[in-house]
Amino acid sequence: MHDTVLKAGDHPFDQATRVTLRDGRWRGETSDDYRAFIGPFGGFTAATMLRALLEHPDRAGDPLAFTVNFCAPVAPGTFDLDLHLIKANRSSQHWSITLSQDEIGAAAFATVVVAQRRETWSHQTAQPPVTTRYQDAKVLPDFGAAPWINQFEFRFTDGAPRFGRTPLVEPASAHSKVWIGNAVPRPIDAISLSAIADAFFARVFHVRGEVVPFGTVSMTTYFHVDAAELAAENATAVLGVADANVFHKSYCDQTGELWTASGRLLATTHQIGYFKA
């Protein structure tokens, strides 16, 4: 447990997802701290791709919609990020990002819409979840899974996973509520929010009560606040609400919401994943 909040840039997450521009090309590098079962944690890959765009000098606006398709496991080492502005108008831009490596080719492909938000009529129809307060929820202990999990702090308030050696006799609920933040506290911004959007444990783990081979295939995150609003929230953890609708022929979906303690919905996320069970 760390009490000191590290600002963006000094945090291990920022060091791991840093990108550089060399000879007109953006480049990143994998991190052992964010390794999953096969290749990097998907949220790390997504966050690194989004960081490259947010640091691009031609980018105008804050993330609105961000879709990442994970084409192949990223091999340890460096990777290239090719960014292209597809279309721009007065208030939004549409970008594509391809993450590639020489030995693999394209390993991930993303589309991003950034927008310049303007003051207008506002109304949040979604109601904040009723749950245990962050400070009253217990931290999930280390259970020796993939290294990336140790980079976050999970405080389940509903639907905590049960990881046994055999599957449950009857499928359990796919629904859970969990406070998620970096293990070393860091202010939540768009980049960290894009990683947390993929930090929910796979719903199949909850339903079957065991860890099985799993990987995100495609994930879309919709951002409902801009950078200034995120900074004003000054949050270091968010309440994640996750669920699923169907598990069928090796693929399953997942829905997610990311809330502040004050009851503001920051982002919603949807994904399709592969499982073997």
Side-chain angles (χ1 to χ4, degrees), residues 44-57:
F44 161 86
T45 302
T48 307
M49 297 175 81
L50 186 60
R51 181 183 294 280
L53 176 57
L54 296 185
E55 294 187 7
H56 197 290

Side-chain angles (χ1 to χ4, degrees), residues 70 197-200 202 214-220 252-256 269-273:
F70 300 93
D198 193 42
F200 295 109
F214 174 86
T216 302
V217 177
S218 182
M219 175 178 71
T220 296
C252 57
D253 74 331
Q254 177 176 284
T255 62
T269 182
H270 308 268
Q271 70 172 248
I272 193 80

Side-chain angles (χ1 to χ4, degrees), residues 186-197:
R186 175 194 185 279
I188 300 294
D189 58 12
I191 296 174
S192 62
L193 203 59
S194 70
I196 292 174

Side-chain angles (χ1 to χ4, degrees), residues 6-238:
L6 295 183
K7 65 180 182 181
D10 296 335
H11 195 276
F13 172 77
D14 298 285
Q15 299 301 314
T17 59
R18 68 185 183 277
V19 293
T20 57
L21 181 60
R22 296 179 182 177
D23 300 324
R25 299 193 74 181
W26 293 91
R27 174 161 289 190
E29 187 171 357
T30 59
S31 167
D32 287 341
D33 290 338
Y34 288 89
R35 180 167 47 83
F37 300 110
I38 301 176
F41 158 54
F44 161 86
T45 302
T48 307
M49 297 175 81
L50 186 60
R51 181 183 294 280
L53 176 57
L54 296 185
E55 294 187 7
H56 197 290
D58 295 334
R59 185 266 307 179
D62 294 306
L64 185 68
F66 179 34
T67 297
V68 184
N69 297 311
F70 300 93
C71 308
V74 180
T78 60
F79 50 80
D80 292 319
L81 296 160
D82 294 304
L83 285 70
H84 296 282
L85 177 60
I86 305 300
K87 187 72 174 181
N89 56 39
R90 290 192 302 172
S91 61
S92 64
Q93 294 178 332
H94 298 254
W95 290 81
S96 69
I97 308 172
T98 302
L99 185 156
S100 61
Q101 293 177 304
D102 291 340
E103 64 273 28
I104 295 173
F109 174 77
T111 58
V112 192
V113 181
V114 294
Q116 300 181 54
R117 295 174 180 264
R118 295 176 173 84
E119 291 297 332
T120 183
W121 179 80
S122 179
H123 176 56
Q124 178 181 290
T125 59
Q127 295 298 307
V130 176
T131 194
T132 306
R133 296 186 307 168
Y134 168 82
Q135 56 268 36
D136 296 332
K138 295 182 179 180
V139 178
L140 183 73
D142 179 15
F143 55 94
W148 74 266
I149 294 175
N150 296 323
Q151 305 308 312
F152 295 91
E153 181 186 80
F154 298 90
R155 298 179 179 224
F156 280 90
T157 63
D158 185 33
R162 169 264 193 202
F163 296 131
R165 294 185 177 181
T166 58
L168 298 170
V169 175
E170 294 293 335
S173 172
H175 182 270
S176 65
K177 298 175 185 175
V178 56
W179 292 100
I180 308 173
N182 288 281
V184 178
R186 175 194 185 279
I188 300 294
D189 58 12
I191 296 174
S192 62
L193 203 59
S194 70
I196 292 174
D198 193 42
F200 295 109
F201 295 164
R203 298 298 90 192
V204 68
F205 298 172
H206 290 257
V207 172
R208 288 183 58 86
E210 63 172 349
V211 176
V212 299
F214 174 86
T216 302
V217 177
S218 182
M219 175 178 71
T220 296
T221 301
Y222 299 108
F223 299 84
H224 305 304
V225 292
D226 60 23
E229 291 170 316
L230 268 176
E233 288 290 340
N234 195 32
T236 57
V238 294

